[in-house]
Amino acid sequence: MTRMGWWLPAKVPQGTGRRFLFGLNAVVVAALLLMHASTTRAQTLDVSLMIGGMEKQIYLPAVLAERLGYFSNEGLNVHLLSEPAGVEATDEMLAGAVQGVVGFYDHTIDLQGLGKYTESVVQFSSVPGEAEMVSDRVPDAKTMAALKGMRLGITDLGSSTDFLTEYLLGKSGLSLDTVSLDPIGAGDILISAMKRNRIQAAMTTEPTISRLIELKLAHVMIDMRNQAGTENALGGVYPASCLYIQTSWIESHPDAVQKLANALVHALQFISRHSAEEIASHLPHDFFAGDKELYVKALEAGKAMFTPDGRMPEGGPQRVLSVLSQFNDNVRGKQIDLNRTFTNRFVDQVTLNQ
């Protein structure tokens, strides 16, 4: 007896052949599905990105791209890892532990001064999204000059909060030896340090800024969460949070970089087209630190910091270089090629949703 190309013995109980065929067909189908799954996994590229503080609102596009499935839609299996400060994330990339960093653009300039070439491939923001917070214990401190002799919190030495603090101190006429910089981090650790008077001021981001205000521990002295405040403090647009990658990896993996750009630009679009409440509904609850309403309020106020398309703002690199050149020994007096610190070629290829 032959059925569907399979040979069966002549003497079998009725129905045995059909059950036998069904069993074989099920095995074949399962094998084909397993082969397809294996092929799909082989086509999915694993990429690890280190974020200088995953819960910070300035790095929201990366988290949102993962939560909305934009990375997986591009055939990427992206692992988002977190370090307290951008400088530590950079070290992980240079050591080969991750392929890219979600951090501040200024590191690409700083690294080039050390002979290491990295590029911003998707520019998240055109302002730092930072604020210098001053303890309510010193209400009369209205300017950076008034912080002389105090202990100032930063995320880490060599971090972007360090860079901004050093620049603003120099602008006010203070040298580093007139204050103490404390690499305290952000979030709960910084809030605790302010509460215990370990630090009297700190450079930090949302949602830490709003939490300090809500707890009546500190107030904003210099606000770089918006365009007007940034122009007042730094002289104009100041590109900050971005995805930057070593140039050598960009050149050897252009398809992967394009997919990362596709996902992140679509996340930026989502931010520009949705309310803070809608955006927050896609985020982990621990991002809210127990107060979702406060988080949403801060996000609604600061949403305008994000670029709509991931492009580097005109004049931004020149201003960042000018700021770093005032105090950074890795940059001061060096020939920095700004064209090798960022590229728009990947974001320019993204098909924007209408």
Side-chain angles (χ1 to χ4, degrees):
M1 179 180 177
T2 304
R3 184 177 296 172
M4 296 178 66
W6 294 97
W7 178 85
L8 295 173
K11 295 182 178 181
V12 294
Q14 188 174 5
T16 300
R18 182 169 296 176
R19 288 195 300 273
F20 180 64
L21 284 172
F22 178 80
L24 284 175
N25 286 337
V27 170
V28 171
V29 170
L32 289 173
L33 288 173
L34 183 60
M35 290 172 61
H36 175 72
S38 298
T39 301
T40 301
R41 283 196 298 271
Q43 293 174 344
T44 301
L45 180 65
D46 283 304
V47 177
S48 294
L49 303 179
M50 187 67 77
I51 304 178
M54 195 178 300
E55 76 289 347
K56 297 175 183 176
Q57 287 188 3
I58 54 175
Y59 301 138
L60 177 62
V63 176
L64 204 56
E66 191 274 332
R67 301 288 290 187
L68 293 174
Y70 292 159
F71 288 131
S72 59
N73 289 348
E74 295 292 331
L76 297 173
N77 184 23
V78 173
H79 305 275
L80 297 180
L81 309 171
S82 187
E83 285 281 5
V87 63
E88 296 173 359
T90 300
D91 291 341
E92 294 286 341
M93 179 182 66
L94 295 177
V98 298
Q99 284 70 57
V101 171
V102 175
F104 267 35
Y105 164 70
D106 54 19
H107 289 294
T108 68
I109 297 176
D110 180 61
L111 288 169
Q112 190 182 129
L114 295 171
K116 303 178 188 302
Y117 288 85
T118 59
E119 298 172 42
S120 166
V121 295
V122 182
Q123 192 61 46
F124 293 179
S125 67
S126 57
V127 300
E130 305 267 2
E132 184 68 25
M133 303 297 293
V134 178
S135 172
D136 284 349
R137 296 172 189 261
V138 285
D140 294 333
K142 305 296 185 184
T143 66
M144 290 296 287
L147 301 181
K148 184 177 181 180
M150 297 185 190
R151 195 170 187 87
L152 314 184
I154 56 174
T155 53
D156 204 351
L157 298 174
S159 68
S160 297
T161 55
D162 182 6
F163 293 162
L164 288 169
T165 301
E166 289 194 41
Y167 172 75
L168 292 171
L169 285 170
K171 183 181 176 183
S172 71
L174 291 183
S175 58
L176 276 183
D177 60 6
T178 62
V179 300
S180 297
L181 296 184
D182 191 343
I184 197 66
D188 289 339
I189 297 175
L190 187 151
I191 291 171
S192 176
M194 191 73 78
K195 185 180 296 185
R196 293 183 288 108
N197 201 33
R198 170 176 167 175
I199 56 175
Q200 291 73 54
M203 182 71 69
T204 192
T205 64
E206 293 288 8
T208 304
I209 294 169
S210 291
R211 292 178 64 197
L212 285 168
I213 296 171
E214 182 74 9
L215 293 168
K216 294 180 170 52
L217 292 174
H219 56 277
V220 175
M221 185 175 74
I222 296 177
D223 195 345
M224 295 175 285
R225 293 173 295 175
N226 53 61
Q227 194 68 43
T230 300
E231 288 180 0
N232 185 55
L234 305 175
V237 64
Y238 193 92
S241 59
C242 68
L243 169 65
Y244 63 92
I245 302 173
Q246 290 191 85
T247 300
S248 58
W249 202 86
I250 294 172
E251 292 175 347
S252 60
H253 298 80
D255 292 342
V257 176
Q258 185 62 63
K259 291 177 179 180
L260 287 168
N262 294 344
L264 290 168
V265 170
H266 288 146
L268 287 166
Q269 279 195 292
F270 187 92
I271 292 171
S272 69
R273 296 176 178 181
H274 293 79
S275 70
E277 182 70 42
E278 290 173 299
I279 295 167
S281 69
H282 295 281
L283 301 177
H285 288 290
D286 58 357
F287 275 34
F288 309 140
D291 195 334
K292 183 178 179 181
E293 183 179 349
L294 186 67
Y295 183 96
V296 170
K297 183 179 178 181
L299 180 57
E300 192 64 51
K303 209 160 63 78
M305 81 172 90
F306 296 110
T307 68
D309 54 14
R311 302 188 87 255
M312 177 63 73
E314 288 288 335
Q318 290 82 0
R319 180 156 291 104
V320 176
L321 175 59
S322 175
V323 166
L324 293 182
S325 297
Q326 301 300 311
F327 64 89
N328 190 317
D329 290 336
N330 295 338
V331 175
R332 188 163 41 195
K334 302 283 183 69
Q335 285 295 114
I336 301 296
D337 184 355
L338 291 175
N339 290 325
R340 299 186 66 181
T341 62
F342 74 95
T343 179
N344 286 322
R345 67 185 174 110
F346 296 101
V347 297
D348 283 346
Q349 297 301 312
V350 178
T351 301
L352 299 180
N353 298 322
Q354 300 302 318

